[in-house]
Amino acid sequence: METLQTIRLMLDQRDEANDDQLKAILNLTQARLLVLLGVQTVPEELSYILVEVAIKRFNRIGSEGVASHSIEGESMTFTDDDFAPFEDDMQAWRSKQHDQKKGRVRFL
């Protein structure tokens, strides 16, 4: 399933009214993830990070820059780094890539 369609499904967005916003968020999220991973394309096994972070960012529209929000007993706190919860996953992927590049040289 295409990433945009997955995000729309998760957000219960049945029409295309927010597609421009979702595409912009998805493009920015992808660009940041590529920098964090140091790759040219997002690995398939980490594509869920794009979906999760894009949804977080979409849900925060209108609350950008707010660290904490409280109304009538309801409290929300936003993190500075949307990718922080996925750092362990990204590090595990990096380690796996590093291990695959290691080779052995044998002299007979």
Side-chain angles (χ1 to χ4, degrees), residues 23-67:
K23 287 176 186 177
I25 291 169
L26 188 57
N27 287 337
L28 292 169
T29 302
Q30 181 175 4
R32 177 73 175 133
L33 184 57
L34 292 174
V35 169
L36 290 173
L37 295 174
V39 295
Q40 298 295 319
T41 58
V42 175
E44 182 65 32
E45 60 263 38
L46 296 180
S47 63
Y48 70 94
I49 295 173
L50 288 176
V51 173
E52 298 283 335
V53 173
I55 290 170
K56 284 182 185 183
R57 291 180 173 180
F58 180 81
N59 286 333
R60 243 188 1 241
I61 290 176
S63 300
E64 293 86 350
V66 175

mmCIF file of all heavy atoms in Angstrom, residues 23-67:
data_model
loop_
_atom_site.group_PDB
_atom_site.id
_atom_site.type_symbol
_atom_site.label_atom_id
_atom_site.label_comp_id
_atom_site.label_asym_id
_atom_site.label_seq_id
_atom_site.Cartn_x
_atom_site.Cartn_y
_atom_site.Cartn_z
ATOM 1 N N LYS A 23 1.057 15.322 1.833
ATOM 2 C CA LYS A 23 2.213 15.148 0.943
ATOM 3 C C LYS A 23 3.386 16.009 1.394
ATOM 4 O O LYS A 23 4.532 15.553 1.391
ATOM 5 C CB LYS A 23 1.842 15.481 -0.504
ATOM 6 C CG LYS A 23 0.969 14.442 -1.161
ATOM 7 C CD LYS A 23 0.549 14.877 -2.554
ATOM 8 C CE LYS A 23 -0.447 13.909 -3.161
ATOM 9 N NZ LYS A 23 -0.930 14.355 -4.480
ATOM 10 N N ALA A 24 3.110 17.243 1.791
ATOM 11 C CA ALA A 24 4.172 18.138 2.272
ATOM 12 C C ALA A 24 4.802 17.572 3.543
ATOM 13 O O ALA A 24 6.034 17.531 3.679
ATOM 14 C CB ALA A 24 3.625 19.534 2.519
ATOM 15 N N ILE A 25 3.971 17.123 4.468
ATOM 16 C CA ILE A 25 4.479 16.528 5.710
ATOM 17 C C ILE A 25 5.283 15.279 5.406
ATOM 18 O O ILE A 25 6.369 15.075 5.959
ATOM 19 C CB ILE A 25 3.306 16.218 6.666
ATOM 20 C CG1 ILE A 25 2.691 17.513 7.188
ATOM 21 C CG2 ILE A 25 3.766 15.335 7.820
ATOM 22 C CD1 ILE A 25 1.374 17.326 7.918
ATOM 23 N N LEU A 26 4.777 14.452 4.527
ATOM 24 C CA LEU A 26 5.468 13.214 4.160
ATOM 25 C C LEU A 26 6.817 13.505 3.505
ATOM 26 O O LEU A 26 7.819 12.859 3.831
ATOM 27 C CB LEU A 26 4.580 12.389 3.229
ATOM 28 C CG LEU A 26 5.046 10.990 2.898
ATOM 29 C CD1 LEU A 26 5.244 10.162 4.150
ATOM 30 C CD2 LEU A 26 4.046 10.313 1.975
ATOM 31 N N ASN A 27 6.875 14.488 2.611
ATOM 32 C CA ASN A 27 8.143 14.851 1.960
ATOM 33 C C ASN A 27 9.169 15.355 2.968
ATOM 34 O O ASN A 27 10.340 14.975 2.912
ATOM 35 C CB ASN A 27 7.905 15.900 0.878
ATOM 36 C CG ASN A 27 7.221 15.325 -0.343
ATOM 37 O OD1 ASN A 27 7.271 14.127 -0.602
ATOM 38 N ND2 ASN A 27 6.547 16.181 -1.081
ATOM 39 N N LEU A 28 8.743 16.209 3.890
ATOM 40 C CA LEU A 28 9.659 16.728 4.908
ATOM 41 C C LEU A 28 10.117 15.627 5.860
ATOM 42 O O LEU A 28 11.287 15.565 6.246
ATOM 43 C CB LEU A 28 9.000 17.860 5.691
ATOM 44 C CG LEU A 28 8.744 19.137 4.906
ATOM 45 C CD1 LEU A 28 7.858 20.091 5.701
ATOM 46 C CD2 LEU A 28 10.058 19.813 4.534
ATOM 47 N N THR A 29 9.199 14.760 6.227
ATOM 48 C CA THR A 29 9.527 13.644 7.121
ATOM 49 C C THR A 29 10.516 12.697 6.448
ATOM 50 O O THR A 29 11.491 12.259 7.063
ATOM 51 C CB THR A 29 8.245 12.883 7.511
ATOM 52 O OG1 THR A 29 7.341 13.799 8.136
ATOM 53 C CG2 THR A 29 8.532 11.754 8.464
ATOM 54 N N GLN A 30 10.291 12.423 5.171
ATOM 55 C CA GLN A 30 11.195 11.545 4.431
ATOM 56 C C GLN A 30 12.581 12.173 4.311
ATOM 57 O O GLN A 30 13.584 11.490 4.515
ATOM 58 C CB GLN A 30 10.631 11.241 3.049
ATOM 59 C CG GLN A 30 11.510 10.313 2.245
ATOM 60 C CD GLN A 30 10.875 9.937 0.918
ATOM 61 O OE1 GLN A 30 9.814 10.423 0.545
ATOM 62 N NE2 GLN A 30 11.530 9.050 0.200
ATOM 63 N N ALA A 31 12.642 13.449 4.015
ATOM 64 C CA ALA A 31 13.932 14.131 3.891
ATOM 65 C C ALA A 31 14.720 14.050 5.191
ATOM 66 O O ALA A 31 15.924 13.788 5.187
ATOM 67 C CB ALA A 31 13.719 15.591 3.484
ATOM 68 N N ARG A 32 14.038 14.260 6.304
ATOM 69 C CA ARG A 32 14.709 14.197 7.611
ATOM 70 C C ARG A 32 15.180 12.782 7.918
ATOM 71 O O ARG A 32 16.284 12.576 8.404
ATOM 72 C CB ARG A 32 13.752 14.689 8.699
ATOM 73 C CG ARG A 32 14.301 14.593 10.095
ATOM 74 C CD ARG A 32 15.358 15.648 10.359
ATOM 75 N NE ARG A 32 15.755 15.573 11.754
ATOM 76 C CZ ARG A 32 17.001 15.574 12.158
ATOM 77 N NH1 ARG A 32 17.979 15.722 11.287
ATOM 78 N NH2 ARG A 32 17.290 15.469 13.428
ATOM 79 N N LEU A 33 14.354 11.786 7.628
ATOM 80 C CA LEU A 33 14.746 10.402 7.893
ATOM 81 C C LEU A 33 15.937 9.989 7.044
ATOM 82 O O LEU A 33 16.844 9.301 7.527
ATOM 83 C CB LEU A 33 13.560 9.464 7.650
ATOM 84 C CG LEU A 33 13.777 7.988 7.969
ATOM 85 C CD1 LEU A 33 14.209 7.793 9.420
ATOM 86 C CD2 LEU A 33 12.518 7.190 7.668
ATOM 87 N N LEU A 34 15.989 10.442 5.800
ATOM 88 C CA LEU A 34 17.133 10.131 4.938
ATOM 89 C C LEU A 34 18.418 10.709 5.511
ATOM 90 O O LEU A 34 19.470 10.053 5.484
ATOM 91 C CB LEU A 34 16.886 10.665 3.521
ATOM 92 C CG LEU A 34 15.782 9.978 2.727
ATOM 93 C CD1 LEU A 34 15.539 10.701 1.410
ATOM 94 C CD2 LEU A 34 16.091 8.512 2.500
ATOM 95 N N VAL A 35 18.338 11.918 6.038
ATOM 96 C CA VAL A 35 19.517 12.533 6.661
ATOM 97 C C VAL A 35 19.945 11.741 7.892
ATOM 98 O O VAL A 35 21.131 11.457 8.083
ATOM 99 C CB VAL A 35 19.242 14.012 7.032
ATOM 100 C CG1 VAL A 35 20.338 14.569 7.914
ATOM 101 C CG2 VAL A 35 19.100 14.848 5.772
ATOM 102 N N LEU A 36 18.984 11.378 8.719
ATOM 103 C CA LEU A 36 19.302 10.634 9.941
ATOM 104 C C LEU A 36 19.941 9.281 9.643
ATOM 105 O O LEU A 36 20.829 8.838 10.359
ATOM 106 C CB LEU A 36 18.036 10.425 10.780
ATOM 107 C CG LEU A 36 17.448 11.659 11.440
ATOM 108 C CD1 LEU A 36 16.106 11.334 12.083
ATOM 109 C CD2 LEU A 36 18.406 12.229 12.481
ATOM 110 N N LEU A 37 19.491 8.638 8.578
ATOM 111 C CA LEU A 37 20.014 7.323 8.220
ATOM 112 C C LEU A 37 21.251 7.394 7.343
ATOM 113 O O LEU A 37 22.003 6.429 7.241
ATOM 114 C CB LEU A 37 18.939 6.502 7.500
ATOM 115 C CG LEU A 37 17.713 6.126 8.317
ATOM 116 C CD1 LEU A 37 16.676 5.445 7.433
ATOM 117 C CD2 LEU A 37 18.091 5.234 9.492
ATOM 118 N N GLY A 38 21.449 8.532 6.667
ATOM 119 C CA GLY A 38 22.593 8.673 5.775
ATOM 120 C C GLY A 38 22.461 7.833 4.522
ATOM 121 O O GLY A 38 23.445 7.271 4.042
ATOM 122 N N VAL A 39 21.240 7.738 3.990
ATOM 123 C CA VAL A 39 20.984 6.941 2.794
ATOM 124 C C VAL A 39 20.259 7.791 1.753
ATOM 125 O O VAL A 39 19.839 8.906 2.031
ATOM 126 C CB VAL A 39 20.147 5.676 3.130
ATOM 127 C CG1 VAL A 39 20.925 4.733 4.031
ATOM 128 C CG2 VAL A 39 18.818 6.050 3.769
ATOM 129 N N GLN A 40 20.103 7.232 0.548
ATOM 130 C CA GLN A 40 19.425 7.936 -0.541
ATOM 131 C C GLN A 40 17.939 7.601 -0.625
ATOM 132 O O GLN A 40 17.146 8.386 -1.129
ATOM 133 C CB GLN A 40 20.093 7.596 -1.885
ATOM 134 C CG GLN A 40 21.538 8.033 -1.956
ATOM 135 C CD GLN A 40 21.666 9.541 -1.904
ATOM 136 O OE1 GLN A 40 20.888 10.255 -2.530
ATOM 137 N NE2 GLN A 40 22.628 10.035 -1.146
ATOM 138 N N THR A 41 17.561 6.418 -0.170
ATOM 139 C CA THR A 41 16.156 6.001 -0.164
ATOM 140 C C THR A 41 15.842 5.364 1.194
ATOM 141 O O THR A 41 16.715 4.733 1.801
ATOM 142 C CB THR A 41 15.837 4.978 -1.274
ATOM 143 O OG1 THR A 41 16.675 3.838 -1.108
ATOM 144 C CG2 THR A 41 16.054 5.569 -2.650
ATOM 145 N N VAL A 42 14.614 5.519 1.627
ATOM 146 C CA VAL A 42 14.202 4.957 2.914
ATOM 147 C C VAL A 42 14.100 3.443 2.767
ATOM 148 O O VAL A 42 13.398 2.952 1.879
ATOM 149 C CB VAL A 42 12.848 5.540 3.363
ATOM 150 C CG1 VAL A 42 12.364 4.859 4.643
ATOM 151 C CG2 VAL A 42 12.949 7.040 3.565
ATOM 152 N N PRO A 43 14.799 2.707 3.627
ATOM 153 C CA PRO A 43 14.706 1.245 3.566
ATOM 154 C C PRO A 43 13.275 0.784 3.853
ATOM 155 O O PRO A 43 12.592 1.349 4.710
ATOM 156 C CB PRO A 43 15.644 0.779 4.687
ATOM 157 C CG PRO A 43 16.478 1.956 5.026
ATOM 158 C CD PRO A 43 15.703 3.165 4.664
ATOM 159 N N GLU A 44 12.828 -0.219 3.131
ATOM 160 C CA GLU A 44 11.463 -0.729 3.273
ATOM 161 C C GLU A 44 11.149 -1.091 4.721
ATOM 162 O O GLU A 44 10.060 -0.814 5.213
ATOM 163 C CB GLU A 44 11.255 -1.945 2.368
ATOM 164 C CG GLU A 44 9.851 -2.507 2.408
ATOM 165 C CD GLU A 44 8.800 -1.545 1.864
ATOM 166 O OE1 GLU A 44 9.113 -0.769 0.961
ATOM 167 O OE2 GLU A 44 7.669 -1.583 2.377
ATOM 168 N N GLU A 45 12.114 -1.690 5.414
ATOM 169 C CA GLU A 45 11.857 -2.139 6.786
ATOM 170 C C GLU A 45 11.713 -0.978 7.777
ATOM 171 O O GLU A 45 11.259 -1.181 8.892
ATOM 172 C CB GLU A 45 12.925 -3.131 7.263
ATOM 173 C CG GLU A 45 14.337 -2.577 7.274
ATOM 174 C CD GLU A 45 15.131 -2.937 6.034
ATOM 175 O OE1 GLU A 45 14.553 -2.951 4.918
ATOM 176 O OE2 GLU A 45 16.324 -3.188 6.171
ATOM 177 N N LEU A 46 12.061 0.238 7.362
ATOM 178 C CA LEU A 46 11.893 1.409 8.235
ATOM 179 C C LEU A 46 10.822 2.370 7.713
ATOM 180 O O LEU A 46 10.649 3.462 8.261
ATOM 181 C CB LEU A 46 13.222 2.156 8.391
ATOM 182 C CG LEU A 46 14.341 1.390 9.092
ATOM 183 C CD1 LEU A 46 15.601 2.243 9.188
ATOM 184 C CD2 LEU A 46 13.915 0.920 10.469
ATOM 185 N N SER A 47 10.088 1.964 6.695
ATOM 186 C CA SER A 47 9.087 2.856 6.108
ATOM 187 C C SER A 47 7.956 3.189 7.083
ATOM 188 O O SER A 47 7.302 4.222 6.952
ATOM 189 C CB SER A 47 8.525 2.271 4.819
ATOM 190 O OG SER A 47 7.857 1.060 5.080
ATOM 191 N N TYR A 48 7.735 2.329 8.060
ATOM 192 C CA TYR A 48 6.696 2.613 9.055
ATOM 193 C C TYR A 48 7.007 3.881 9.837
ATOM 194 O O TYR A 48 6.088 4.552 10.324
ATOM 195 C CB TYR A 48 6.519 1.431 10.018
ATOM 196 C CG TYR A 48 7.674 1.246 10.956
ATOM 197 C CD1 TYR A 48 7.648 1.827 12.225
ATOM 198 C CD2 TYR A 48 8.794 0.520 10.584
ATOM 199 C CE1 TYR A 48 8.711 1.676 13.080
ATOM 200 C CE2 TYR A 48 9.852 0.365 11.430
ATOM 201 C CZ TYR A 48 9.813 0.931 12.680
ATOM 202 O OH TYR A 48 10.884 0.798 13.532
ATOM 203 N N ILE A 49 8.277 4.238 9.958
ATOM 204 C CA ILE A 49 8.658 5.459 10.670
ATOM 205 C C ILE A 49 8.090 6.675 9.948
ATOM 206 O O ILE A 49 7.611 7.616 10.588
ATOM 207 C CB ILE A 49 10.198 5.561 10.822
ATOM 208 C CG1 ILE A 49 10.712 4.426 11.712
ATOM 209 C CG2 ILE A 49 10.599 6.922 11.387
ATOM 210 C CD1 ILE A 49 12.219 4.337 11.802
ATOM 211 N N LEU A 50 8.121 6.662 8.618
ATOM 212 C CA LEU A 50 7.518 7.754 7.842
ATOM 213 C C LEU A 50 6.046 7.928 8.194
ATOM 214 O O LEU A 50 5.575 9.041 8.412
ATOM 215 C CB LEU A 50 7.637 7.484 6.337
ATOM 216 C CG LEU A 50 8.997 7.614 5.698
ATOM 217 C CD1 LEU A 50 8.915 7.218 4.229
ATOM 218 C CD2 LEU A 50 9.525 9.014 5.843
ATOM 219 N N VAL A 51 5.325 6.828 8.246
ATOM 220 C CA VAL A 51 3.891 6.869 8.541
ATOM 221 C C VAL A 51 3.659 7.403 9.944
ATOM 222 O O VAL A 51 2.858 8.325 10.149
ATOM 223 C CB VAL A 51 3.257 5.469 8.366
ATOM 224 C CG1 VAL A 51 1.814 5.465 8.823
ATOM 225 C CG2 VAL A 51 3.373 5.004 6.920
ATOM 226 N N GLU A 52 4.345 6.840 10.918
ATOM 227 C CA GLU A 52 4.141 7.230 12.317
ATOM 228 C C GLU A 52 4.455 8.703 12.553
ATOM 229 O O GLU A 52 3.688 9.415 13.197
ATOM 230 C CB GLU A 52 5.005 6.363 13.235
ATOM 231 C CG GLU A 52 4.681 4.892 13.192
ATOM 232 C CD GLU A 52 3.429 4.539 13.966
ATOM 233 O OE1 GLU A 52 3.062 5.276 14.898
ATOM 234 O OE2 GLU A 52 2.810 3.513 13.629
ATOM 235 N N VAL A 53 5.583 9.167 12.049
ATOM 236 C CA VAL A 53 5.989 10.556 12.272
ATOM 237 C C VAL A 53 5.086 11.517 11.497
ATOM 238 O O VAL A 53 4.707 12.572 12.013
ATOM 239 C CB VAL A 53 7.481 10.770 11.920
ATOM 240 C CG1 VAL A 53 7.866 12.242 11.994
ATOM 241 C CG2 VAL A 53 8.359 9.952 12.867
ATOM 242 N N ALA A 54 4.717 11.164 10.279
ATOM 243 C CA ALA A 54 3.824 12.020 9.498
ATOM 244 C C ALA A 54 2.475 12.182 10.198
ATOM 245 O O ALA A 54 1.911 13.284 10.230
ATOM 246 C CB ALA A 54 3.631 11.448 8.088
ATOM 247 N N ILE A 55 1.955 11.116 10.779
ATOM 248 C CA ILE A 55 0.688 11.198 11.515
ATOM 249 C C ILE A 55 0.832 12.106 12.727
ATOM 250 O O ILE A 55 -0.037 12.943 13.002
ATOM 251 C CB ILE A 55 0.198 9.791 11.907
ATOM 252 C CG1 ILE A 55 -0.265 9.032 10.658
ATOM 253 C CG2 ILE A 55 -0.924 9.872 12.950
ATOM 254 C CD1 ILE A 55 -0.554 7.569 10.889
ATOM 255 N N LYS A 56 1.931 11.959 13.461
ATOM 256 C CA LYS A 56 2.172 12.839 14.619
ATOM 257 C C LYS A 56 2.194 14.299 14.181
ATOM 258 O O LYS A 56 1.594 15.159 14.820
ATOM 259 C CB LYS A 56 3.518 12.510 15.271
ATOM 260 C CG LYS A 56 3.544 11.277 16.096
ATOM 261 C CD LYS A 56 4.913 11.136 16.707
ATOM 262 C CE LYS A 56 5.067 9.848 17.469
ATOM 263 N NZ LYS A 56 6.381 9.749 18.112
ATOM 264 N N ARG A 57 2.899 14.566 13.110
ATOM 265 C CA ARG A 57 3.024 15.947 12.639
ATOM 266 C C ARG A 57 1.692 16.495 12.129
ATOM 267 O O ARG A 57 1.373 17.653 12.366
ATOM 268 C CB ARG A 57 4.113 16.038 11.574
ATOM 269 C CG ARG A 57 5.498 15.826 12.164
ATOM 270 C CD ARG A 57 6.580 15.919 11.135
ATOM 271 N NE ARG A 57 7.886 15.867 11.778
ATOM 272 C CZ ARG A 57 9.035 15.928 11.134
ATOM 273 N NH1 ARG A 57 9.048 16.073 9.818
ATOM 274 N NH2 ARG A 57 10.167 15.869 11.794
ATOM 275 N N PHE A 58 0.923 15.679 11.451
ATOM 276 C CA PHE A 58 -0.384 16.121 10.964
ATOM 277 C C PHE A 58 -1.303 16.455 12.136
ATOM 278 O O PHE A 58 -2.003 17.468 12.119
ATOM 279 C CB PHE A 58 -1.025 15.052 10.081
ATOM 280 C CG PHE A 58 -2.372 15.449 9.544
ATOM 281 C CD1 PHE A 58 -2.468 16.268 8.436
ATOM 282 C CD2 PHE A 58 -3.538 15.020 10.165
ATOM 283 C CE1 PHE A 58 -3.708 16.658 7.936
ATOM 284 C CE2 PHE A 58 -4.782 15.398 9.674
ATOM 285 C CZ PHE A 58 -4.867 16.219 8.562
ATOM 286 N N ASN A 59 -1.303 15.613 13.134
ATOM 287 C CA ASN A 59 -2.161 15.821 14.298
ATOM 288 C C ASN A 59 -1.760 17.048 15.117
ATOM 289 O O ASN A 59 -2.558 17.546 15.899
ATOM 290 C CB ASN A 59 -2.181 14.576 15.187
ATOM 291 C CG ASN A 59 -3.005 13.463 14.597
ATOM 292 O OD1 ASN A 59 -3.934 13.702 13.840
ATOM 293 N ND2 ASN A 59 -2.645 12.234 14.919
ATOM 294 N N ARG A 60 -0.552 17.506 14.925
ATOM 295 C CA ARG A 60 -0.055 18.661 15.665
ATOM 296 C C ARG A 60 -0.240 19.973 14.914
ATOM 297 O O ARG A 60 0.134 21.031 15.425
ATOM 298 C CB ARG A 60 1.432 18.468 15.965
ATOM 299 C CG ARG A 60 1.716 18.391 17.411
ATOM 300 C CD ARG A 60 3.167 18.393 17.816
ATOM 301 N NE ARG A 60 4.157 18.490 16.802
ATOM 302 C CZ ARG A 60 5.086 17.560 16.572
ATOM 303 N NH1 ARG A 60 5.117 16.474 17.272
ATOM 304 N NH2 ARG A 60 5.974 17.732 15.637
ATOM 305 N N ILE A 61 -0.816 19.947 13.728
ATOM 306 C CA ILE A 61 -1.009 21.180 12.955
ATOM 307 C C ILE A 61 -1.806 22.163 13.804
ATOM 308 O O ILE A 61 -2.838 21.828 14.370
ATOM 309 C CB ILE A 61 -1.717 20.901 11.615
ATOM 310 C CG1 ILE A 61 -0.782 20.133 10.684
ATOM 311 C CG2 ILE A 61 -2.197 22.194 10.969
ATOM 312 C CD1 ILE A 61 -1.406 19.712 9.378
ATOM 313 N N GLY A 62 -1.284 23.365 13.878
ATOM 314 C CA GLY A 62 -1.901 24.403 14.698
ATOM 315 C C GLY A 62 -1.285 24.494 16.081
ATOM 316 O O GLY A 62 -1.530 25.441 16.812
ATOM 317 N N SER A 63 -0.490 23.501 16.445
ATOM 318 C CA SER A 63 0.158 23.496 17.760
ATOM 319 C C SER A 63 1.681 23.491 17.628
ATOM 320 O O SER A 63 2.383 23.097 18.552
ATOM 321 C CB SER A 63 -0.279 22.256 18.553
ATOM 322 O OG SER A 63 -1.652 22.248 18.748
ATOM 323 N N GLU A 64 2.190 23.898 16.453
ATOM 324 C CA GLU A 64 3.624 23.893 16.229
ATOM 325 C C GLU A 64 4.304 24.816 17.229
ATOM 326 O O GLU A 64 3.837 25.905 17.507
ATOM 327 C CB GLU A 64 3.974 24.352 14.806
ATOM 328 C CG GLU A 64 3.513 23.402 13.731
ATOM 329 C CD GLU A 64 2.081 23.649 13.282
ATOM 330 O OE1 GLU A 64 1.376 24.431 13.932
ATOM 331 O OE2 GLU A 64 1.666 23.051 12.286
ATOM 332 N N GLY A 65 5.402 24.342 17.778
ATOM 333 C CA GLY A 65 6.172 25.147 18.718
ATOM 334 C C GLY A 65 5.685 25.039 20.153
ATOM 335 O O GLY A 65 6.320 25.547 21.063
ATOM 336 N N VAL A 66 4.568 24.371 20.384
ATOM 337 C CA VAL A 66 4.038 24.213 21.734
ATOM 338 C C VAL A 66 4.679 22.987 22.371
ATOM 339 O O VAL A 66 4.696 21.911 21.787
ATOM 340 C CB VAL A 66 2.500 24.046 21.703
ATOM 341 C CG1 VAL A 66 1.948 23.769 23.088
ATOM 342 C CG2 VAL A 66 1.851 25.274 21.100
ATOM 343 N N ALA A 67 5.208 23.165 23.566
ATOM 344 C CA ALA A 67 5.822 22.043 24.267
ATOM 345 C C ALA A 67 4.804 21.329 25.151
ATOM 346 O O ALA A 67 4.877 20.128 25.351
ATOM 347 C CB ALA A 67 6.998 22.518 25.113
#
